[in-house]
Amino acid sequence: MGFLDPASDGGLARLMEACECRELDRGETLFLEGDPAERFFVVEEGWVKVYKDRDERRLVLHLEGPGSPLAEVAVFLEEPRYPASAEAATPARVLAVPASGLHVLMEAEPAVARGVVRYLARRQRALIRLLGKLAFQDVLERLVGYLVERLEAEGQGFELPTNAELAALLGTVPEIVSRKLWKLYREGLIELDGRKVVVTEPAYLLAKFLPRRR
């Protein structure tokens, strides 16, 4: 579980005994904004989207896949409540970890506490990088970066979120996402089967759109 790697076998075993495995259907709610944050979650299979609803509009904040935690920051707030909602973007399985058990483990094992601090620092660094992408990259560059990252993490044939969800992740609107995907498809740089994607020329994409990343 990443930041729990420093835990002793005994401490981690006690925490795992208190965990609950949940199976989610596509569209099933995991938690709602404002609910008490009594647990955080780790995605074991599938994808979960975190979002906010305002005035009949939905803003997707991020998507998390296998190995990623959810609501891990919320459990450390002074008044722990979920700052956003989450639901399964695909059929998913998540591990629900009680916040109280994590707090006890951190107090008993300082190495775990240091691991949590390091993990949260990495998350902050990732957020700063995301802000940099929004400021300095155009939509096509951000889309190419997203496709390459998914390819590296999952291999060929990964499934895209909806254009609305992808637009929210890239800081744009669905119509532009559709046009950019069509451009890559028309140029033979990707293949599409429904929402499944094969990136045919990842090295070329990086060289053309993201040369600094190579």
Side-chain angles (χ1 to χ4, degrees):
M1 266 189 269
F3 53 73
L4 295 182
D5 289 345
S8 69
D9 291 342
L12 185 58
R14 288 191 296 274
L15 180 61
M16 293 299 292
E17 287 175 358
C19 293
E20 175 188 355
C21 186
R22 298 185 184 178
E23 301 280 349
L24 301 173
D25 294 327
R26 184 186 183 102
E28 185 173 349
T29 298
L30 180 59
F31 55 81
L32 291 173
E33 181 177 357
D35 286 349
E38 298 174 347
R39 297 171 178 81
F40 73 95
F41 304 89
V42 179
V43 182
E44 294 191 315
E45 290 184 4
W47 289 85
V48 176
K49 62 182 174 184
V50 178
Y51 64 91
K52 279 181 172 286
D53 284 333
R54 290 291 185 274
D55 300 325
E56 300 183 355
R57 295 181 59 193
R58 173 165 293 186
L59 173 63
V60 178
L61 301 175
H62 53 96
L63 289 168
E64 300 294 345
S68 298
L70 292 163
E72 73 283 3
V73 175
V75 300
F76 294 107
L77 297 174
E78 185 175 357
E79 296 182 6
R81 293 187 178 276
Y82 298 119
S85 302
E87 70 176 37
T90 67
R93 183 173 72 233
V94 302
L95 191 68
V97 185
S100 58
L102 176 61
H103 295 160
V104 169
L105 183 59
M106 289 175 62
E107 291 174 1
E109 302 191 26
V112 175
R114 290 193 294 271
V116 170
V117 172
R118 284 194 296 269
Y119 173 79
L120 295 179
R122 289 197 298 270
R123 294 284 279 194
Q124 183 182 35
R125 182 178 62 188
L127 178 59
I128 292 172
R129 287 176 175 171
L130 175 60
L131 292 174
K133 289 179 181 179
L134 293 175
F136 300 114
Q137 292 181 348
D138 64 26
V139 174
L140 185 56
E141 290 171 333
R142 298 200 294 271
L143 175 59
V144 168
Y146 174 82
L147 294 175
V148 172
E149 287 173 3
R150 290 286 304 276
L151 173 63
E152 292 173 345
E154 302 172 52
Q156 297 285 13
F158 59 87
E159 187 168 347
L160 285 177
T162 67
N163 282 357
E165 293 166 350
L166 191 49
L169 292 173
L170 299 177
T172 184
V173 295
E175 292 77 9
I176 294 180
V177 167
S178 180
R179 289 202 297 270
K180 300 304 182 183
L181 283 172
W182 174 247
K183 173 181 171 64
L184 296 176
Y185 174 79
R186 188 178 63 246
E187 295 181 3
L189 299 174
I190 63 172
E191 297 176 359
L192 294 171
D193 180 10
R195 300 302 295 178
K196 291 186 177 180
V197 180
V198 171
V199 181
T200 58
E201 299 287 348
Y204 175 77
L205 280 176
L206 284 174
K208 182 175 181 179
F209 298 105
L210 299 171
R212 293 183 181 179
R213 190 181 183 277
R214 301 186 72 199

